[in-house]
Amino acid sequence: MNKIVAWIDQRFPLTPFIKHELTDYPTPRNLSYWWGFGFLAGFVLVIQIVTGIFLAMHYKPDSSMAFDSIQHIMREVNYGWLIRYLHSTGASAFFAVIYTHMARTLYYGSYRRPRELLWWTGQGLLLLMMATAFMGYLLPWGQMSYWGATVITNLFSATPVIGGQIVTWLRGGFAVDDPTLTRFFSLHYLFPFLIFAAVVVHLVALHTVRSSNPSGINLADKDNIPFHPYFTIKDLFGLGIFMIVYLMIVFFKPNLFIDAANNIPANPMQTPADIVPEWYFLPFYAILRAVPDLAGGVVAMAISVLIFAAMPYLDRSRITGGARYRPVYRAMFYVFVINIFVLGYVGAHPPSGPLKTVGEISTTIYFLIFLLLPFISRWEEKFVLARGLPPAVEAQARKEIAEAEGHV
Amino acid sequence: MSKSRFFGLLFCLIFPLAVSAEETQLQRGAHVALEVCNACHSLKYVKYSDLTRLGFTKAQVDSMRGEKEMGAPLLSQMAPNDELGMFGIVPPDLSLMAKAREGGAEYIYSMITGFYTDSNGQTANHVFPGIKMPDVFMIAQADASGRREIEQKAKDVSAFLAWASDPQAEERKTLGRYVIGYFVFLTILLFFLKKKIWSRLG
């Protein structure tokens, strides 16, 4: 064994790589389980790719056969139902994990200097993931697949001048049809590998700047421990908990996230009573509908997703440790999270009466939180410093302020 | 006597319990689905051979399928074009109906038993206004005892359609118990292993 490793090491830096990235990789020992969601996301990505490859062996990307081929997988392929439910539930699990991962980043301020690029690669991953999920949802060729794709591709008609052409170009025709299905299938198979590559970039960025930690203080060497075995085992235990929850849904509630209308084959002649996207798009869908004008709604929706990238600049506080030592930011974080759930609820229901007003208010709150953050965070910084902080946190905050001011 | 009848009879003699035991709800529902619904509605994702999984003997399935192949899907007895002429639509396929409506089997039950005679003497439906399907069990005209009988049939056929939409549900739940049990055990081991490894840090 050692001989083989030595042989490889002369030709490829295997041992140094493992040493540098795993057995010697310094990780803050105070990371909580909230820091395990990145690993979970990587694991779900692998589940999705593996189950997806097996589904593609039996699936027919043809508008006259797609729906039937799903039932063929569900009924005739050996454990086809399991593969398909793992995949369809996996999509929801992926978003649940990623949203938690993002919430942790926001709560602990992990997007802050020097982790901006890490955060932005994550933002890119989110966009790729959304595109992949959206295209994958067309493949079962049910009513919701068809009309969801119709509504979302139609959003591009808001583009000035060439809007109509863009929509036709995206769909491969004037309406969602066989050419749309085949191109979505092709891209739905491609994008996960782009995501995989982007994850490698994300990890390179992570291993350059290293993990943030809940204290917000740059830890001394003695407080860092090797990633392996301490965090491999911690992440594996977290994975066990995740798998129990995920598999409970797969085996006992597999249709929880599958809209009833998607068990009706796509019918271009019949619009469903209410076109609702998957739960993970609902808050953004609510924002889209809260703006009366189509172009305005599309712009608002796009900004609502992309604005996360601006967080390193919107948050101007230099108090470290994220929301922990920042009462106002903490309150804003919780308001934001509750507001997201309200938007999700609004997005799932027809926009009429009081719900319409709720959607408009929630959308306003969503953007106000981001827009007020630069002012509130700077004011809060002064307030918190005046009130007093644990010495280590205060020292680091004052150091960062001095550095920033020195640059000016 | 045809060969299949002969073997069916032989089967009955060898396993008398399988025949004498009362029919299960799914079996009763299957009879309703085949004798009533299947006249107009297809169940194209269900094959005659699948019915053996409900505990029907091969002989029983043979008598249900008539001339059709064992591996043939349960297509409607009427040609779709005739149906289009008669009802104005082709009656929807029922194999996924229990999954395709919010409420699933309960929805189907409420729809079947939801027929009533409105103030104009027309048959209407509480659950599905403007339904093109006739009141096949004639529940709108039934008296109390007839109603109870129809409600039982509706319950049975709804349960059968729930099975038809998700025939692996039983297998899935059985397997699920083992899989979850395995992961709970594994996770407990991982928890103690984690404790042990982290204890080195002191």
Side-chain angles (χ1 to χ4, degrees):
Chain A
M1 187 66 202
N2 281 339
K3 264 187 171 169
I4 299 170
V5 174
W7 187 90
I8 294 171
D9 280 340
Q10 280 179 349
R11 294 154 178 89
F12 181 88
L14 179 67
T15 304
F17 180 81
I18 291 172
K19 240 170 113 77
H20 190 255
E21 310 304 336
L22 282 172
T23 52
D24 271 0
Y25 179 67
T27 314
R29 66 185 289 174
N30 59 340
L31 294 191
S32 66
Y33 281 101
W34 293 113
W35 267 259
F37 282 83
F39 167 75
L40 288 183
F43 192 85
V44 181
L45 175 64
V46 174
I47 294 181
Q48 291 303 85
I49 290 179
V50 172
T51 53
I53 287 171
F54 279 95
L55 285 174
M57 292 176 192
H58 305 282
Y59 171 76
K60 302 264 193 299
D62 179 310
S63 60
S64 65
M65 292 192 272
F67 192 88
D68 288 344
S69 73
I70 298 285
Q71 288 308 311
H72 166 70
I73 291 168
M74 294 296 288
R75 289 159 195 264
E76 271 131 40
V77 175
N78 282 333
Y79 292 101
W81 56 269
L82 179 56
I83 301 169
R84 193 236 174 169
Y85 281 148
L86 283 170
H87 197 75
S88 64
T89 311
S92 284
F94 209 164
F95 277 96
V97 166
I98 284 296
Y99 287 162
T100 313
H101 188 58
M102 288 175 70
R104 191 270 295 154
T105 308
L106 291 172
Y107 185 89
Y108 288 104
S110 312
Y111 49 80
R112 298 176 53 203
R113 200 172 77 93
R115 298 190 176 80
E116 299 96 326
L117 269 178
L118 181 57
W119 178 235
W120 291 336
T121 52
Q123 171 91 58
L125 275 163
L126 176 69
L127 295 179
L128 279 172
M129 213 177 118
M130 286 178 151
T132 311
F134 164 66
M135 291 187 294
Y137 196 56
L138 181 68
L139 307 187
W141 205 246
Q143 272 289 67
M144 226 28 112
S145 302
Y146 182 89
W147 289 98
T150 301
V151 169
I152 301 302
T153 49
N154 189 53
L155 297 181
F156 290 88
S157 68
T159 317
V161 191
I162 50 164
Q165 279 99 315
I166 288 183
V167 175
T168 311
W169 177 74
L170 285 172
R171 292 175 179 167
F174 294 113
V176 173
D177 206 339
D178 198 60
T180 327
L181 178 60
T182 49
R183 68 188 50 196
F184 275 29
F185 176 68
S186 170
L187 295 175
H188 184 72
Y189 208 120
L190 168 70
F191 274 38
F193 297 99
L194 299 184
I195 291 177
F196 201 90
V199 167
V200 173
V201 176
H202 195 60
L203 284 175
V204 170
L206 172 67
H207 281 225
T208 308
V209 294
R210 308 258 168 88
S211 288
S212 63
N213 74 82
S215 78
I217 307 165
N218 290 335
L219 294 180
D221 288 341
K222 68 179 171 58
D223 294 317
N224 284 320
I225 50 177
F227 189 87
H228 181 79
Y230 298 105
F231 284 97
T232 34
I233 186 64
K234 191 166 183 169
D235 282 349
L236 280 177
F237 171 62
L239 177 66
I241 301 285
F242 165 81
M243 287 305 278
I244 292 170
V245 177
Y246 167 61
L247 292 172
M248 291 245 250
I249 298 172
V250 167
F251 283 102
F252 298 107
K253 274 271 166 222
N255 290 296
L256 187 62
F257 301 116
I258 299 176
D259 197 290
N262 228 29
N263 286 302
I264 305 169
N267 182 355
M269 312 302 284
Q270 190 185 51
T271 319
D274 195 23
I275 302 172
V276 185
E278 292 289 83
W279 68 267
Y280 38 79
F281 290 137
L282 287 175
F284 308 110
Y285 190 58
I287 290 173
L288 169 77
R289 292 199 299 191
V291 183
D293 169 60
L294 176 70
V298 173
V299 170
M301 183 173 72
I303 293 175
S304 71
V305 181
L306 295 171
I307 199 163
F308 290 104
M311 276 307 284
Y313 299 106
L314 293 177
D315 181 5
R316 294 166 71 222
S317 169
R318 281 145 305 183
I319 307 296
T320 50
R324 193 165 168 187
Y325 303 109
R326 299 172 59 189
V328 185
Y329 183 79
R330 192 165 61 231
M332 287 170 85
F333 172 84
Y334 286 121
V335 170
F336 184 78
V337 171
I338 294 165
N339 192 50
I340 279 271
F341 281 99
V342 173
L343 280 170
Y345 180 84
V346 172
H349 297 83
S352 55
L355 216 51
K356 189 168 184 292
T357 319
V358 173
E360 286 160 5
I361 294 171
S362 271
T363 301
T364 314
I365 292 174
Y366 186 98
F367 288 110
L368 266 185
I369 287 173
F370 285 107
L371 292 178
L372 292 179
L373 186 57
F375 311 103
I376 291 178
S377 58
R378 195 46 76 85
W379 169 82
E380 185 195 40
E381 179 187 281
K382 288 200 198 85
F383 168 77
V384 169
L385 279 174
R387 203 180 58 161
L389 279 165
V393 179
E394 181 167 347
Q396 178 139 354
R398 293 210 183 276
K399 187 169 149 253
E400 290 198 14
I401 294 170
E403 272 174 23
E405 260 117 78
H407 286 305
V408 170
Chain B
M1 190 187 283
S2 78
K3 207 171 162 190
S4 59
R5 282 273 165 81
F6 173 76
F7 280 113
L9 203 65
L10 197 66
F11 186 87
C12 297
L13 286 169
I14 298 169
F15 304 102
L17 266 179
V19 193
S20 64
E22 215 176 297
E23 288 202 311
T24 63
Q25 181 176 46
L26 288 179
Q27 290 179 332
R28 293 197 306 267
H31 283 298
V32 179
L34 271 117
E35 287 152 24
V36 185
C37 313
N38 197 214
C40 303
H41 293 275
S42 291
L43 285 100
K44 66 173 175 174
Y45 299 124
V46 182
K47 292 186 296 232
Y48 285 100
S49 55
D50 294 335
L51 297 174
T52 57
R53 286 156 62 180
L54 294 180
F56 284 123
T57 61
K58 194 171 166 297
Q60 283 171 308
V61 176
D62 284 343
S63 72
M64 291 179 203
R65 69 189 169 95
E67 307 282 287
K68 306 240 178 61
E69 301 261 328
M70 197 63 174
L74 272 63
L75 295 182
S76 124
Q77 311 293 328
M78 281 175 77
N81 273 337
D82 297 345
E83 294 182 322
L84 199 60
M86 190 180 275
F87 304 109
I89 54 161
V90 178
D93 189 276
L94 294 186
S95 12
L96 279 171
M97 197 47 86
K99 269 186 180 175
R101 295 289 180 276
E102 296 288 344
E106 285 84 12
Y107 170 88
I108 295 171
Y109 171 80
S110 310
M111 193 276 289
I112 296 173
T113 56
F115 287 99
Y116 68 101
T117 311
D118 68 9
S119 51
N120 302 325
Q122 301 281 318
T123 305
N125 194 295
H126 288 298
V127 178
F128 191 155
I131 193 168
K132 296 215 166 105
M133 182 174 119
D135 179 9
V136 282
F137 296 105
M138 292 190 281
I139 196 166
Q141 283 91 37
D143 58 10
S145 81
R147 230 192 131 75
R148 268 196 301 279
E149 220 172 276
I150 295 167
E151 281 169 358
Q152 188 56 48
K153 279 188 183 174
K155 245 180 225 153
D156 295 344
V157 79
S158 306
F160 171 78
L161 290 178
W163 170 84
S165 74
D166 193 6
Q168 296 85 7
E170 279 309 307
E171 184 196 357
R172 195 180 70 226
K173 286 172 192 161
T174 311
L175 181 60
R177 277 179 214 113
Y178 289 107
V179 173
I180 301 290
Y182 169 81
F183 271 93
V184 167
F185 179 68
L186 180 72
T187 306
I188 292 170
L189 288 186
L190 286 169
F191 174 75
F192 285 110
L193 187 59
K194 191 241 160 196
K195 271 196 110 101
K196 187 165 175 279
I197 290 176
W198 278 67
S199 70
R200 289 184 213 160
L201 289 171

